[in-house]
Amino acid sequence: MESLLAVSHLQTAFDTDQGKIVSVDDVSFNLKPGETLALVGESGSGKSVTALSIMRLLGKSSRIDEGQILLEGTDILKLDDRQMREIRGNRISMVFQEPMTSLNPVFTIGYQMCEAIKLHLHQSSREARATAIEMLRKVGLPRPEEMMNEYPFALSGGMRQRVMIAMALSCKPKVLIADEPTTALDVTVQAQIMRLMKQLCEEAGTAILLITHDLGVVAEMANRVLVMYAGQVVEEADVYTLFDDPKHPYTRGLLKSIPSLDVAEGDQLESIPGSVPARYQFMKGCRFYNRCYLATEHCKNHLPPLEDKQEGQLARCWEVGRSGEGAVDETYG
């Protein structure tokens, strides 16, 4: 099956007072029709910058230095701004972490939805209004006809997020990028929103690139997982393999930090010491070196490649397969 979205060796950099800082470095992945690919990692790992690079929504101080982004065979990095506007919101859409930064506070919900529908689907005002109302109904919003006349500030966080999903899916995009779509919502609403998004995408055959740090959401939603650390992909596997047999020490640390119901009273959650290094602090070797219990001098001085550790599972680590599974199963302590 051909990929809808193919990202190859993507490198995104920012111009700062410290000079050029690479935020996303050599990131590659493929997204197939109907597939959900989760991009996980701590804050500062480069997940959102990867998404904004794909959407070409980077700021003036940032740029894509290397790589290729193919959307149904079209390299979108070679498109001009007008061509990109035709694709954005039509063939590829994005749901942002905080809808109030995406919804215009001075226009009604109906106006904002209808403008996108008329632009991309070439519908009349009456047809666009009917399409918008139907999408608001599909995402479970009450009184969709009246909701069309509401302003974003009049809606709750969960309702605004449903509006964003309705807007993103109203033109039936091939690819939906969801960047932490439920972070600001309570747990009950989070589950509803995620189930709703998955259901609507399955109905339309839309592929999802899901960006999150919530591994519970990953387990429920994803087919495959990419783990990012310090701007690089450090592990890639299908969701079952990743949870059953993670290879990279960073992935294992993330999984061990998940709360469990069978933890004994008084036990503390395990954590990975330290934090993601600032971009200008990168070493020439493995970027996880200063936090890793398996690190050696070789790791410090040589960057490991992302290579196949077993069928279909990639990891960026010198010690995986060299020290044996027992060594990798150690805790961080």
Side-chain angles (χ1 to χ4, degrees), residues 42-45 229-230 250 271-279 281-283 287-292:
E42 294 169 281
S43 296
S45 294
Y229 182 79
Y250 177 63
S271 62
I272 305 173
S275 59
V276 181
R279 298 295 180 255
Q281 293 177 331
F282 283 166
M283 301 164 287
R287 295 180 180 179
F288 192 58
Y289 165 79
N290 61 344
R291 304 175 70 188
C292 182

Side-chain angles (χ1 to χ4, degrees), residues 25-26 229-230 232-234 248 282-289 297-307 316-318:
D25 189 12
D26 195 27
Y229 182 79
Q232 294 183 325
V233 175
V234 297
H248 198 280
F282 283 166
M283 301 164 287
K284 61 182 178 181
C286 175
R287 295 180 180 179
F288 192 58
Y289 165 79
E297 198 65 24
H298 183 78
C299 301
K300 180 179 180 180
N301 296 308
H302 300 86
L303 179 66
L306 184 66
E307 57 187 6
R316 190 184 295 275
C317 181
W318 292 117

